[in-house]
Amino acid sequence: MEHFLFTIDDSYEGERADKLLPLLLEGVSRSYLKGIIDEGALIINGKVSKGKVRVKEGDILEFDLPEAESPDIPAQDIPLDILYEDDDIIVVNKPKGMVVHPSAGHFTDTLVNALLYHCKDSLSGINGVLRPGIVHRIDKDTTGSIVACKNDDAHRALSDQFKVHSINRVYKAICLGNIKDDEGAVDAPIGRNMNDRKKMGIVPDGKRAVTHYRVLERFGDYTYIECRLETGRTHQIRVHMSSIGHPLLGDAVYGNASSSLNKRFNLDGQTLHAQILGFEHPSKGEYIEFSAPLPEYFSHLLDVLRNK
């Protein structure tokens, strides 16, 4: 058990305790903290408090963070395409169809199951028992570069970089339609879709989200693009490109599942690849960058489009 004590200054006046703690306890998710708060772990000015309490300048917050539990999920010998590995981090080229971490009703065949087998006990525990080592995610049907952390110090260091959006993330995608401009940016806030909570959408009170895009090739009814994330919101590229009338090929959630190429190749999800991932190494302090090669299905689609 790790004990934390914070004195609230005027910059945090009026903040809800459950929203403030993830900022003070770097790298610990709000959802993980909520369960601990509900069990009575939050003490404000000597009294057990609920997470919805708003703090005042001078308040004393105490919090006991349990040591990471041993994941109650199986380690599986699933092959990994490892782009880089050392004592702090492991960078993997995630295949299409692989979920990053277990969730209710889905406790096997995820990237975490594979990492538990490969890394044994060397994974950070900050994000709880279901997400050991996981500091960020990419969607199930998105391929490409993802980094996991082998210790809590590395996790905190990378979480800080994700928080200030200093991570270099470049994606490749194929969109429906012929994008008018050679390059551009979508700056629109993203939050939960008010009509369908399973989807994200552009909403006035959402979090700021910025996607920069550049056209690589045009194929008439389709456009091959590169996207650079200035921010990193859930489904950001998919939502943003759909919002300007160019959803990603294969995206049945935010796009057109009846596209002729969808039917021809029986595409399973969006044509999106997290190619480049660059960041400051958590312990060495130097910038490192990795590039995941395009998956075979993606390269084949480009060949078809170039020769149609």
Side-chain angles (χ1 to χ4, degrees), residues 108-258:
T108 59
D109 302 321
T110 72
L111 178 61
V112 161
N113 297 106
L115 288 172
L116 286 171
Y117 182 89
H118 178 81
C119 299
K120 304 298 188 283
D121 296 327
S122 298
L123 285 173
S124 65
I126 286 177
N127 263 347
V129 297
L130 293 182
R131 298 189 288 176
I134 301 303
V135 67
H136 73 123
R137 293 177 291 175
I138 54 179
D139 297 334
K140 172 188 173 184
D141 292 320
T142 299
T143 56
S145 306
I146 181 170
V147 59
C149 296
K150 291 187 171 185
N151 56 68
D152 289 355
D153 287 340
H155 193 125
R156 292 188 182 96
L158 279 183
S159 289
D160 285 343
Q161 295 182 57
F162 277 103
K163 194 178 300 180
V164 299
H165 310 303
S166 63
I167 305 288
N168 184 25
R169 284 180 284 178
V170 180
Y171 288 67
K172 296 293 176 62
I174 301 176
C175 296
L176 296 179
N178 189 354
I179 296 178
K180 179 180 178 181
D181 299 320
D182 288 340
E183 58 183 44
V186 184
D187 185 343
I190 290 178
R192 287 289 168 187
N193 185 303
M194 299 305 294
N195 299 317
D196 185 347
R197 303 299 289 177
K198 294 181 180 180
K199 295 172 61 176
M200 307 302 289
I202 293 176
V203 294
D205 60 347
K207 293 183 179 180
R208 184 169 186 251
V210 183
T211 302
H212 299 269
Y213 64 86
R214 181 170 65 92
V215 172
L216 300 176
E217 294 182 69
R218 300 179 187 277
F219 307 112
D221 294 331
Y222 305 94
T223 308
Y224 180 34
I225 64 171
E226 176 181 276
C227 293
R228 181 176 63 81
L229 295 183
E230 185 174 321
T231 57
R233 309 304 178 198
T234 301
H235 299 175
Q236 179 171 315
I237 294 173
R238 298 168 63 189
V239 171
H240 272 172
M241 297 313 296
S242 180
S243 75
I244 62 172
H246 297 286
L248 302 192
L249 177 63
D251 193 341
V253 177
Y254 301 103
N256 181 2
S258 64

Side-chain angles (χ1 to χ4, degrees), residues 222 249-251 256-267:
Y222 305 94
L249 177 63
D251 193 341
N256 181 2
S258 64
S259 162
S260 60
L261 279 185
N262 284 7
K263 295 177 179 178
R264 180 175 175 184
F265 291 99
N266 193 28
L267 293 178

